[in-house]
Amino acid sequence: MIKPIVIFALAGFCCNAVNAKDKRDDHVGPSRPSSMVKPGPDTEADTPYNRAEYITAFSQLRSDEMNAGCLGIMPSVGELEVDPVEYRSSFDRGNSIQEPGGFSVDLLDNNVKVDLTAVDHVAVYRFTFPESRESHVIMDISHMLKQFRAGDVKFRDDKTIEGTAKYKLGDKDIDIAFSFQFSKPFRRRGIWTGDQVSDKLRHGQVDDGSPLGAYAYFWTHEDETILMKVGISNKDIADARKNLATEFPGWDFKQLRRESERAWK
């Protein structure tokens, strides 16, 4: 049985450049002024980032007033774990960096470095993996602080995963569409719905709030970087694709991070 885990999602973006090891309770994670996406690390229940032991996932959207995040992403190495209690990771707070336009952290248990930046409707991840034939990224569609209602996820090709998700935040329904694109083809892929995990599934759907997600495996050499673009829309999947194509059509992570930093000046 996949057990739910209660998370605490850090909200928004601190406009001043700070090192994330600072003792203040600054929110961490990049965004741009008035952007829809606000990606960043979620931590265990009721624990702010600078006192947390684990990162439970990286959410793409969050609510300042309710400390809520949704649509979780987590890179890892080794055996696949889709239980949130198992795929979370301790992290190196001392070397994590928060600055205008970007965020970086080392996941110690998962043996992956995560760099993160964002545009208005697109979050962009750069994962640095060790040498392994079991490097992978988990995309937990049901990852949500309050309530996941329903969703679907499907593989469009060997680099793209798309779908929709419905969440509930207090008395508000949040319905989003997403398109995930990777810079490298998958070596292995699959989906989980409820307690069922299968490499053979290319589409999954739940309507009762059961766990839902997808995973993608890669063969990586030492310090290989794989990029992941997360396009979000509150309309439909076609609009999420359009946001990817118009806001970040290429793969120049460093350039996008510089542009996001300049957006705050």
Side-chain angles (χ1 to χ4, degrees):
M1 178 78 179
I2 299 174
K3 301 184 287 295
I5 183 172
V6 179
I7 61 170
F8 180 90
L10 296 171
F13 173 74
C14 180
C15 298
N16 297 319
V18 297
N19 191 300
K21 68 181 179 181
D22 192 304
K23 297 304 181 184
R24 297 169 296 169
D25 286 342
D26 288 311
H27 303 311
V28 296
S31 67
R32 290 192 181 186
S34 303
S35 66
M36 179 182 180
V37 296
K38 290 181 171 60
D42 296 340
T43 57
E44 66 267 27
D46 301 322
T47 309
Y49 180 84
N50 57 23
R51 293 196 295 273
E53 183 178 355
Y54 298 104
I55 288 176
T56 58
F58 294 86
S59 281
Q60 315 315 304
L61 303 172
R62 56 200 63 245
S63 166
D64 291 349
E65 67 273 13
M66 298 191 71
N67 290 325
C70 63
L71 199 60
I73 289 171
M74 196 65 165
S76 191
V77 176
E79 183 179 354
L80 177 69
E81 299 284 358
V82 299
D83 186 332
V85 176
E86 300 298 331
Y87 70 61
R88 68 184 184 180
S89 178
S90 61
F91 62 100
D92 187 349
R93 187 181 298 103
N95 286 330
S96 61
I97 299 296
Q98 166 76 71
E99 58 188 13
F103 174 75
S104 300
V105 66
D106 291 330
L107 301 178
L108 301 180
D109 297 331
N110 294 5
N111 198 19
V112 182
K113 180 180 180 181
V114 179
D115 294 291
L116 176 58
T117 189
V119 205
D120 291 337
H121 301 87
V122 179
V124 183
Y125 292 81
R126 183 177 63 189
F127 306 122
T128 303
F129 287 102
E131 182 178 0
S132 177
R133 292 192 173 190
E134 294 187 313
S135 298
H136 60 277
V137 178
I138 297 164
M139 292 145 281
D140 192 343
I141 312 307
S142 50
H143 175 85
M144 176 62 173
L145 177 65
K146 296 297 179 182
Q147 182 182 354
F148 170 67
R149 295 156 43 222
D152 71 276
V153 60
K154 59 185 176 183
F155 287 92
R156 187 180 184 200
D157 53 42
D158 64 355
K159 289 185 178 181
T160 309
I161 303 165
E162 298 178 329
T164 61
K166 300 178 182 293
Y167 306 98
K168 195 162 189 71
L169 195 58
D171 60 356
K172 180 188 299 184
D173 290 340
I174 300 176
D175 298 349
I176 63 171
F178 57 86
S179 181
F180 303 150
Q181 291 184 4
F182 287 82
S183 60
K184 182 175 182 175
F186 316 133
R187 294 290 305 201
R188 171 189 160 199
R189 52 184 164 167
I191 286 172
W192 76 88
T193 57
D195 294 335
Q196 304 302 312
V197 183
S198 175
D199 285 2
K200 296 180 180 180
L201 287 177
R202 295 294 178 264
H203 177 259
Q205 181 173 343
V206 299
D207 298 311
D208 59 358
S210 298
L212 173 69
Y215 54 90
Y217 268 77
F218 306 90
W219 289 4
T220 55
H221 57 73
E222 188 68 23
D223 293 329
E224 181 174 353
T225 60
I226 295 177
L227 271 63
M228 177 185 185
K229 300 190 287 191
V230 178
I232 300 293
S233 171
N234 56 10
K235 297 179 183 178
D236 52 34
I237 294 173
D239 193 58
R241 287 183 205 141
K242 184 183 76 172
N243 290 336
L244 284 177
T246 57
E247 294 185 11
F248 188 52
W251 293 99
D252 192 335
F253 182 90
K254 291 181 180 179
Q255 177 63 28
L256 181 64
R257 188 161 176 167
R258 288 192 294 267
E259 291 174 358
S260 293
E261 181 176 354
R262 287 195 296 268
W264 288 99
K265 295 180 179 179

